Amino acid sequence: MQKTQGATDWANPASAARADDGRKVVQFPQRGLGADAVYRQWRLSAGAARQYSMDADQIEYRFIGGQVVPVGVLELTQIDSWEVPESYLRAIRNRYLHRDAQGKVAKALAAALGCQAFIIGYHPTCTRFWIYNLTKPQGWTVCGADTYGAFLQRLPFGKG
């Protein structure tokens, strides 16, 4: 992937650095991680009873015949250790499936989009990943960056 040359004018989204195929390669870095924290805090205080809000961390999609085709809803969680005990992974899974609504919402969103939902654990170096299919649970898969990239490329169209 080649990055385009030239400075980015952050006030003009059209000037963002782009790969050869037109994708943005930088997402306004001066905003930093958690740039939507102010809105999120406001949203929590603005909701009336029985109004809920949650973001999906990522929705993977493809363009097929010029149409957007969702292929996966990903809920991301950072795992700081290289090796983690099964009890740690079980606690992550239980948080998504039982404690919080996050897993239920991710599965409902994936069903509505016609794809599958996953929990993706990632090491901060992005060299180790843990994959758990929320839609079709089969336990955790642990892999490196190349295998994870191949997993993303193979996400099935439809409910798989």
Side-chain angles (χ1 to χ4, degrees):
M1 169 175 65
Q2 293 275 331
K3 292 182 182 177
T4 58
Q5 299 298 318
T8 298
D9 172 6
W10 298 111
N12 177 6
S15 75
R18 296 190 181 273
D20 290 339
D21 64 2
R23 290 177 291 123
K24 286 192 284 183
V25 294
V26 176
Q27 294 282 344
F28 297 97
Q30 83 281 12
R31 293 182 188 163
L33 294 173
D36 56 357
V38 171
Y39 173 80
R40 287 172 188 263
Q41 190 61 41
W42 173 85
R43 175 61 186 90
L44 288 173
S45 66
R50 296 198 172 123
Q51 284 186 331
Y52 304 98
S53 173
M54 187 192 94
D55 69 325
D57 290 330
Q58 284 190 314
I59 297 175
E60 288 283 326
Y61 64 93
R62 308 288 183 267
F63 281 104
I64 301 188
Q67 300 296 311
V68 173
V69 178
V71 296
V73 173
L74 309 182
E75 287 297 328
L76 307 175
T77 187
Q78 183 171 310
I79 298 176
D80 293 326
S81 298
W82 189 257
E83 296 291 335
V84 294
E86 180 58 36
S87 60
Y88 186 85
L89 296 174
R90 189 171 36 255
I92 292 172
R93 186 188 69 227
N94 288 340
R95 175 176 45 128
Y96 281 91
L97 294 176
H98 304 296
R99 191 189 81 190
D100 300 340
Q102 208 168 352
K104 183 181 247 183
V105 172
K107 290 192 309 185
L109 179 58
L113 293 173
C115 60
Q116 296 180 41
F118 299 88
I119 301 170
I120 305 297
Y122 65 94
H123 189 268
T125 61
C126 290
T127 55
R128 190 165 180 95
F129 297 86
W130 294 259
I131 304 167
Y132 185 86
N133 188 326
L134 286 164
T135 305
K136 296 180 177 181
Q138 298 175 8
W140 290 90
T141 300
V142 182
C143 60
D146 290 342
T147 301
Y148 181 68
F151 157 79
L152 292 174
Q153 291 176 0
R154 288 190 321 267
L155 284 171
F157 304 155
K159 297 187 188 212

